Amino acid sequence: MDLHQNLLGEPPATRLPDFPEAREALAAAADPAEAAARFPTHSDAWAALARRALDSGDAVAAYAYARTGYHRGLDQLRRAGWKGHGPVPWEHEPNRGFLRCLHLLATAAGAIGETEEHERCTTFLRDSSATAAEELSG
């Protein structure tokens, strides 16, 4: 008997593949735009751009960057077998870019008064990873 089997019939956790070259490019870049241009599917680069825009007071740019990273992450989740719901664990490092984008999209949506999007993304983040919701909101 598998002691880790989910008996409630929920989908298994989705774990995105790691892309060390993209991760290393972002870590080495003086500007996250360099990494986003070189690796446009790397959600963490878009999250870094969104964070920078929010920190500088440009919620509209943050919204655009976060939405881009969010959609790139959704594409990757679907390719990894995600069916539109289920856990996306924060503990799995490659998932963090998507989860950061989701959090930043909620934050930017709230900042520009897009209440429904803010609430949808906040709920989606919490449903995907309670740990991410706690880490990123705290």
Side-chain angles (χ1 to χ4, degrees):
M1 179 175 165
D2 181 0
L3 297 177
H4 299 287
Q5 179 182 4
N6 184 335
L7 300 177
L8 299 176
E10 293 177 5
T14 302
R15 289 175 174 78
L16 294 175
D18 188 20
F19 295 103
E21 189 177 358
R23 186 173 22 84
E24 291 163 8
L26 178 59
D31 181 348
E34 297 170 15
R38 190 167 163 216
F39 298 98
T41 63
H42 189 55
S43 291
D44 226 2
W46 295 106
L49 288 166
R51 171 51 56 203
R52 182 175 71 183
L54 271 177
D55 290 348
S56 71
D58 191 350
V60 172
Y63 183 90
Y65 289 134
R67 181 162 287 288
T68 300
Y70 163 78
H71 280 288
R72 299 315 293 258
L74 283 177
D75 292 343
Q76 292 174 18
L77 284 168
R78 288 181 185 115
R79 281 193 298 276
W82 185 76
K83 303 292 186 213
H85 66 311
V88 181
W90 172 258
E91 296 77 10
H92 182 66
E93 182 73 30
N95 289 352
R96 291 185 180 186
F98 167 75
L99 295 166
R100 284 186 185 106
C101 283
L102 184 54
H103 167 73
L104 291 163
L105 182 56
T107 303
I112 64 173
E114 194 175 352
T115 305
E116 287 182 25
E117 181 78 345
H118 168 77
E119 291 172 2
R120 183 187 71 79
C121 291
T122 299
T123 299
F124 185 10
L125 177 62
R126 188 177 53 249
D127 291 348
S128 297
S129 172
T131 303
E134 184 178 317
E135 289 282 328
L136 296 169
S137 297

